[in-house]
Amino acid sequence: MRDLLRNTEIKLSFGIYVFLSVLAVGGAFLYDRRLLLPALLLCAVFTFIHMYCIYIRYKRISKMSADIDRILHGDDSIRFENYSEGDIGLLQSEIYKMTVRLREQQSKLTEDKIYLADSLADISHQIRTPLTSINILVSMLSEPDLTYEKREQLIHKLYGLLSRIDWLITALLKMSKLDAGTIKFHSEDISIRDLLEKACMPVRVPMELRGQELIIEAEGDISCDVAWSCEAIGNIVKNCMEHTPDGGKITVCGKRNTLFSEIVITDSGSGISKDDLPHIFERFYKGRTSEDKGGFGIGLALARMIVTGQNGTIKAENASGGGAVFIVRFYESTV
C-alpha cells in the first residue's frame, strides 16, 4: 500500500475518495445521526474496492514493465497471452507491436554483422593471393642480374595481377552499391542485337586469342538499363569463355515475346558439375574448375544482382549435348 501511494495519480485519487467520504459522513451526521454508521461503512467499502482495483491494475502494469525490461536486456521471451483483454488491452497491443519490431531489428542487425564479417573475410582472402604474388614478383625484379626478357615477363605478370585486383575492387564496389540500393536502373529501348554486341565487345579480343568462335543471334527490341545489362551479360559470356577450351564456340541468342525478353548463352565447354550448379550464382563461390583458372567467384553473382534488380530471372543448366547454358529473362511486368 505504501508503494502504491507513491504514485502521484493514485495518491490524488485516494485523497479525493477520502474527501468525499468525509463529506458524506458529515452530511449523514448532520441529517440523521442514525445514518452515521451505515454511511461510514459504505464509504469505507467503496474506498477499499476502488483502491483494490487500482492495486490489481498497478501490479499488472508493474509485471508488464518488468517483462519489457527483460526484453530490453536481451531476453526475447514474453507471453502476452497472460494479459487479459480489457483495461490494458490497448497498451498490450502496442507493446506487442513494439516487441515484434525490436526482434526484427535485432535479427537484422545480427545478420548484417555476420554478413559484414563474412564479406571482409572473403575480400581479404581474395586479395591476399595476388598481393603475395606481387610481392614475390617485385622482389624478383629487384635482382640486378635479371635479363631483359625475364624482366619483361615479370612486368607482364605484375600488370596482369594488378588488373585482376582492380577488377575485383571495381566489382565489389558495384555489388555494395546494389546491396545498399543506391543504384537506380533506367530503362531504355534498344535492339537485342545492339545490346548483345555491346555486352560481348570486351571479350572479343581474348576470345580471338583463344581461337574461340562467338555467334550472336538476336531479333526484336528490349527495354532495360543498357549499361548494367551489358555488365551482367558480359560477365556471363566471360565466364563461358574461361570454361570453354581453345577453339570452342560460344553462342548468344536473344528474342522477345509478349511476356519477356530472353537471352540464352551457351558454350561448348565441359558444363557445370552437379555439385556446383546450386551454388554457381553465390558470391565468392568458386567451383572446382574455377579454382584452377584463378577466378574470384563474383562475376555471376554480380550478374544475378543486376538481372533480378530489373525484374528479371537468371538460371544455369547443362545442355543435353554438353556445355553450360545460361538463360536470362527480363519480364515485361511484375511476376
Side-chain angles (χ1 to χ4, degrees):
M1 188 67 179
R2 182 178 300 174
D3 295 336
L4 193 63
L5 291 177
R6 289 177 182 175
N7 188 302
T8 306
E9 294 181 356
I10 296 176
K11 186 186 295 183
L12 177 62
S13 174
F14 180 73
I16 292 174
Y17 260 78
V18 171
F19 176 72
L20 292 176
S21 298
V22 170
L23 288 180
V25 171
F29 178 77
L30 294 176
Y31 182 75
D32 189 345
R33 293 185 177 183
R34 291 177 297 180
L35 298 177
L36 177 60
L37 184 58
L40 184 60
L41 292 175
L42 192 61
C43 290
V45 169
F46 281 165
T47 303
F48 175 77
I49 293 175
H50 172 71
M51 295 305 296
Y52 181 74
C53 292
I54 289 180
Y55 172 75
I56 296 298
R57 178 177 297 183
Y58 182 81
K59 294 294 290 183
R60 295 170 69 184
I61 293 177
S62 297
K63 187 176 183 306
M64 184 177 290
S65 299
D67 290 339
I68 294 173
D69 185 67
R70 286 192 298 104
I71 293 175
L72 293 177
H73 286 81
D75 188 355
D76 60 351
S77 62
I78 182 171
R79 298 180 64 84
F80 282 104
E81 57 269 24
N82 294 334
Y83 302 98
S84 61
E85 297 181 0
D87 50 358
I88 58 174
L90 181 60
L91 179 62
Q92 167 195 341
S93 176
E94 295 301 321
I95 292 176
Y96 178 75
K97 294 176 184 176
M98 181 194 69
T99 305
V100 172
R101 180 67 60 87
L102 287 175
R103 288 175 179 172
E104 291 177 348
Q105 290 179 348
Q106 185 179 10
S107 176
K108 185 68 169 54
L109 286 174
T110 303
E111 291 177 359
D112 288 345
K113 287 181 180 179
I114 295 173
Y115 175 77
L116 179 60
D118 291 343
S119 297
L120 290 175
D122 289 333
I123 293 170
S124 174
H125 175 73
Q126 299 295 337
I127 294 180
R128 185 182 297 120
T129 302
L131 284 179
T132 303
S133 301
I134 289 173
N135 284 329
I136 295 173
L137 292 175
V138 170
S139 63
M140 294 174 66
L141 283 171
S142 62
E143 295 179 2
D145 54 348
L146 198 65
T147 62
Y148 178 78
E149 291 77 12
K150 184 65 176 178
R151 188 179 299 276
E152 263 198 340
Q153 291 178 1
L154 294 177
I155 291 175
H156 181 71
K157 291 181 180 178
L158 191 62
Y159 177 77
L161 289 171
L162 291 174
S163 298
R164 280 167 51 82
I165 293 177
D166 180 68
W167 181 86
L168 172 63
I169 294 174
T170 302
L172 289 174
L173 285 175
K174 291 177 181 177
M175 295 176 78
S176 64
K177 289 180 179 179
L178 289 169
D179 278 335
T182 57
I183 298 294
K184 302 298 181 186
F185 295 107
H186 301 285
S187 295
E188 55 181 302
D189 294 332
I190 185 175
S191 70
I192 298 180
R193 173 167 288 280
D194 290 343
L195 177 70
L196 299 182
E197 291 285 353
K198 287 184 178 180
C200 296
M201 184 65 69
V203 296
R204 281 191 177 277
V205 173
M207 289 182 68
E208 289 178 3
L209 295 176
R210 293 167 179 253
Q212 296 172 338
E213 182 183 8
L214 176 63
I215 300 174
I216 297 178
E217 299 174 350
E219 58 182 13
D221 297 331
I222 186 173
S223 180
C224 63
D225 189 299
V226 176
W228 282 104
S229 299
C230 286
E231 174 81 27
I233 298 169
N235 284 339
I236 299 172
V237 175
K238 179 175 177 291
N239 182 274
C240 291
M241 178 194 70
E242 293 173 346
H243 293 82
T244 300
D246 293 349
K249 183 174 68 176
I250 297 173
T251 305
V252 185
C253 298
K255 61 182 180 181
R256 179 178 183 177
N257 57 35
T258 55
L259 296 178
F260 52 80
S261 299
E262 183 180 75
I263 297 169
V264 181
I265 304 166
T266 61
D267 64 42
S268 58
S270 57
I272 308 169
S273 71
K274 292 182 179 179
D275 294 334
D276 295 335
L277 202 53
H279 311 285
I280 195 169
F281 292 109
E282 293 179 3
R283 191 174 305 189
F284 295 116
Y285 181 80
K286 293 190 292 185
R288 300 171 184 173
T289 55
S290 297
E291 289 181 354
D292 299 336
K293 299 177 185 304
F296 291 112
I298 59 174
L300 293 181
L302 177 59
R304 183 179 65 172
M305 294 177 69
I306 294 171
V307 173
T308 55
Q310 298 183 79
N311 188 33
T313 60
I314 181 173
K315 69 175 182 178
E317 59 188 26
N318 287 311
S320 57
V325 179
F326 292 90
I327 302 173
V328 179
R329 288 178 178 175
F330 294 96
Y331 288 87
E332 300 295 330
S333 60
T334 303
V335 294

